[in-house]
Structure formats: C-alpha cells, structure tokens
C-alpha cells in the first residue's frame, strides 16, 4: 500500500469552516493571543498570506475588525505576550499594517 500525502486543501478548508462558523466564534471570549481574537487573527493572517484557497484571503479583514472591537487594554490579568495585553497589541500592529509582520515576532507561535 502506497503512502498518500494529505492534501493541503483539507486543513485550509477546515480552518475556513471554523472561522466562518458563528457557533465556533461564539466561544471566543477574549482578545488574547493564546485563546482569543489576537491569536485567531494572527494565525489567519499567516495562513492567508500563502493560501491557494482565496476564501482564506478575505478572512483577516473580518477577523481583524472583530479583534479591534474586542480589544480592551488592561483587561488581561498579565502584561505578557501569550495571555496579556502585549500579544493583543502586537496582533493589532499587524492589523494596522494590513499585512503579516515583517519583524517575525510571531515566529514563536510557529505559524509563519
């Protein structure tokens, strides 16, 4: 039996479906980088940058708008990167530039 590599289309389709499902997005309750809008936005921005699926390329704007609407400086229990205001602020700089970060700050998230 020959090994068949999985198509890259499958995970990107799953990402698109999850990020356009209101029931899934209703579970996002904060703006943090780890489990919040900042992380979703930054991951989507990186995925969309090289996606062959053009549907993904339209998501960063919508998800960035959600991040901006949810971001509340000082609302996180820490000031750190993963669970604090710093991660949210860095994702907001990506949103303001309307392109993936050229500094590579998000390389620690293993998404670029």
């Amino acid at each position: 039996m020959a090994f068949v590599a999985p198509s890259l289309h499958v995970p990107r389709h799953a990402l698109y479906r999850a990020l356009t499902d209101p029931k899934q997005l209703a579970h996002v309750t904060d703006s943090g980088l780890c489990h919040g809008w900042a992380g979703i936005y930054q991951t989507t921005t990186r995925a969309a940058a090289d996606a062959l699926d053009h549907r993904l390329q339209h998501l960063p704007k919508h998800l960035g708008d959600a991040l901006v609407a949810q971001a509340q400086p000082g609302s996180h229990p820490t000031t750190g990167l993963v669970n604090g205001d710093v991660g949210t602020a860095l994702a907001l700089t990506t949103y303001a530039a309307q392109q993936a970060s050229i500094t590579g700050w998000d390389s620690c998230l293993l998404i670029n």
Side-chain angles (χ1 to χ4, degrees):
M1 178 185 254
F3 174 76
V4 178
S7 168
L8 289 178
H9 178 71
V10 174
R12 290 198 169 103
H13 179 70
L15 179 64
Y16 177 81
R17 295 281 309 254
L19 295 176
T20 57
D21 181 353
K23 290 181 182 178
Q24 296 277 347
L25 295 176
H27 294 284
V28 182
T29 59
D30 68 65
S31 62
L33 194 54
C34 189
H35 294 99
W37 288 108
I40 291 170
Y41 171 73
Q42 197 67 30
T43 300
T44 304
T45 298
R46 287 296 187 176
D50 65 353
L52 298 176
D53 185 340
H54 296 289
R55 297 175 306 164
L56 285 178
Q57 295 171 354
H58 300 288
L59 289 178
K61 171 73 170 107
H62 169 70
L63 295 170
D65 292 345
L67 168 61
V68 169
Q70 297 294 320
Q72 299 293 323
S75 66
H76 297 285
T78 68
T79 57
L81 174 67
V82 175
N83 291 315
D85 287 335
V86 172
T88 301
L90 285 167
L92 286 168
T93 62
T94 300
Y95 177 77
Q98 293 295 299
Q99 65 182 12
S101 170
I102 61 169
T103 65
W105 72 262
D106 56 357
S107 62
C108 65
L109 303 174
L110 303 177
I111 60 172
N112 61 354

